[in-house]
Structure formats: structure tokens, C-alpha cells
Amino acid sequence: MIFKGLNQSTLRDLLDEAGIATKKDEDGDLMTVLAADDDFPHDMVAWFIVDDNWLTIIARSFDFKLTDTLQLANEYNRTHRAVACVAEEDGVFFKLAFLLDEEVSSQYVIENCLRFGLSSAWRSFVDFWKARNS
């Protein structure tokens, strides 16, 4: 399917097609939880937000605490695709945004935005966790 622009309904369909189970949060945004595993022992919550042709993925792990978050985020942002943001004194979240204002295929959004965005955010938490524990 080829489409231009993105809305909440189309996003839900694409997430379903990608096999990413979601639910709506209290703000009406779609979200998913990736469960802890051997690579990163904390759950990660990801929100999918559509706003004026922008698809934004915000990922947070509430149980993963860090020290020196500002320094870590600044160093990380120089070399990685996902943007690390300081959430509070001892936490970070990752944000990726995709402008979808031209015609794109559903497969493009699934592979290059949804799956790439989730895996980038997860990998970012893994990198932070490994750096903290090395």
C-alpha cells in the first residue's frame, strides 16, 4: 500500500502488520513494552506518536538508572542515530522522529521507521547498560 501522510488509524494498522502489539495509553498514544532479556535486564516502553506527518518513537526504561546522564547523553548523541535525552537526574529516554510527508509504502514505514526505531532504541539501552557495567 502506498500512502502520503500518516494518522493514528494507519499507524495502528502498520504496527499490527509489523507484528508489534500495542495499546493506547491515557493520552491516546499507541505504546508497546519490550520485555527484559539477557542483553538488557529491564523492560523498555515505547510510544508511537503521530503529529502533522511526523512519526515519533519515544522509548524509556523506568527501572534503568544511571549516573552522569548529561555527559553520557552528550557523548552518545555524537555517534548514534537515536537521540538520547535526559529524562531526570538518573534516567534517559531515546527519541527518533521520521518525517513522512511524501508518498511511501507501508513496507517502508514498517522496516525503516517502526522496526528500525524500536531496535535502535533497544540497542541504545543495551549500549548504555553495557557501558555502565564494564
Side-chain angles (χ1 to χ4, degrees):
M1 173 175 80
I2 302 293
F3 61 92
K4 183 175 179 177
L6 189 64
N7 59 41
Q8 191 82 348
S9 176
T10 304
L11 176 59
R12 171 59 70 91
D13 292 343
L14 293 171
L15 287 161
D16 289 346
E17 187 177 334
I20 301 169
T22 59
K23 66 178 184 175
K24 284 191 177 184
D25 69 7
E26 61 276 357
D27 296 328
D29 295 318
L30 296 172
M31 62 176 287
T32 193
V33 177
L34 298 183
D37 67 11
D38 292 339
D39 289 332
F40 182 63
H42 304 281
D43 292 348
M44 182 189 87
V45 181
W47 291 269
F48 304 91
I49 302 162
V50 176
D51 183 29
D52 194 29
N53 292 327
W54 282 92
L55 167 61
T56 302
I57 300 171
I58 297 174
R60 177 95 193 263
S61 179
F62 291 97
D63 295 331
F64 181 54
K65 305 297 181 192
L66 293 164
T67 57
D68 299 325
T69 52
L70 189 57
Q71 178 184 347
L72 286 169
N74 284 339
E75 289 174 11
Y76 180 88
N77 288 341
R78 285 193 279 275
T79 58
H80 292 80
R81 170 71 172 104
V83 175
C85 305
V86 176
E88 51 195 34
E89 255 182 49
D90 60 352
V92 296
F93 65 91
F94 293 94
K95 183 176 180 180
L96 294 98
F98 305 92
L99 179 59
L100 300 172
D101 64 345
E102 297 294 328
E103 285 187 347
V104 292
S105 69
S106 57
Q107 203 58 33
Y108 174 86
V109 176
I110 289 169
E111 295 300 326
N112 298 304
C113 302
L114 300 176
R115 288 186 177 147
F116 171 78
L118 274 181
S119 64
S120 292
W122 180 261
R123 187 75 230 163
S124 298
F125 279 113
V126 170
D127 290 346
F128 267 51
W129 185 75
K130 285 182 178 179
R132 187 188 76 181
N133 293 313
S134 60

